[in-house]
Amino acid sequence: MSVQERKQRERADRERLIVATARELAEQQGWDAVTTRRLAERIEYSQPVLYSHFRGKREIIGAVALEGAAEMAAAVRAAVSVADGPRARVTALARAYLDFAERNPALYDAMFQLDGGLVFADEETPEPLKDAFAALLESLGEVAGDGVHPGMFTEVFWASLHGLATLTRAGRLPPGDAERRTELLVDRLAVL
């Protein structure tokens, strides 16, 4: 291995460490606790080293969000892959999405609530975000209904899931009815 390759590998390892540490700190104490000073202390590098990888917290949030998008896409695809039939696939998708949001609140915030400098629904959208949307579209497109654009239907269904996830987490919806809400969403929106 050349010196250049070793340096590139070490740089990539440091970047992964920064992102993993930011995620861990955010999940433990919230995003307000994630500062470059705290990250530098935790990973035992100087703040200038952090700034050589990321211009600031916003870019770190963006990197965490991209990682989360890939994880969410994998979780949705895994859940859908074992479901039989359109209704079962859409139900599995909805449950996997809501479960992901509940289990990873800080990660979910990085993906959809905080400014990570990422562009959505554009040619410049990073590939992990496009793939996360594609993971939803793969199952939802088949139940959009006649004359309904599959992408737009996926956006509306996703918005509904996002609303359920954020309102439940904020204590605005009673937690005991989560399963019935999921069934209602699937039954009323999807053409099965």
Side-chain angles (χ1 to χ4, degrees):
M1 175 182 300
S2 73
V3 171
Q4 178 73 9
E5 290 171 329
R6 182 181 53 76
K7 286 184 179 185
Q8 287 175 340
R9 188 187 74 229
E10 289 171 354
R11 180 172 176 76
D13 288 345
R14 265 193 318 273
E15 198 163 293
R16 279 190 293 276
L17 178 62
I18 293 166
V19 171
T21 304
R23 274 182 75 166
E24 180 183 312
L25 187 57
E27 290 294 352
Q28 291 171 353
Q29 300 176 31
W31 279 104
D32 287 342
V34 179
T35 64
T36 55
R37 183 183 58 76
R38 279 185 133 168
L39 286 174
E41 288 171 3
R42 283 208 173 190
I43 65 172
E44 299 178 346
Y45 283 101
S46 67
Q47 282 182 292
V49 169
L50 265 85
Y51 285 116
S52 74
H53 290 273
F54 300 100
R55 287 184 287 208
K57 182 177 177 176
R58 180 179 188 220
E59 283 190 4
I60 293 169
I61 290 169
V64 169
L66 292 177
E67 201 172 82
E71 291 174 20
M72 187 187 79
V76 165
R77 285 187 174 114
V80 167
S81 71
V82 296
D84 187 30
R87 185 180 201 297
R89 282 190 291 278
V90 174
T91 301
L93 177 149
R95 287 180 179 144
Y97 184 99
L98 294 170
D99 183 55
F100 181 87
E102 182 181 352
R103 283 184 296 108
N104 305 285
L107 180 58
Y108 191 81
D109 285 349
M111 294 166 64
F112 301 120
Q113 302 289 92
L114 301 174
D115 180 9
L118 302 174
V119 178
F120 286 78
D122 189 84
E123 289 179 18
E124 301 299 315
T125 299
E127 203 53 46
L129 297 179
K130 288 179 182 179
D131 187 54
F133 185 79
L136 301 175
L137 179 63
E138 289 161 10
S139 291
L140 295 172
E142 70 178 316
V143 297
D146 293 337
V148 178
H149 187 278
M152 186 174 290
F153 177 78
T154 300
E155 291 169 351
V156 170
F157 201 93
W158 171 32
S160 299
L161 290 172
H162 177 69
L164 288 173
T166 56
L167 290 171
T168 299
R169 183 167 149 212
R172 303 295 196 272
L173 299 175
D177 294 328
E179 187 61 31
R180 289 191 329 188
R181 277 188 214 95
T182 302
E183 290 174 12
L184 181 63
L185 177 64
V186 171
D187 289 342
R188 299 295 183 194
L189 282 185
V191 176
L192 302 167

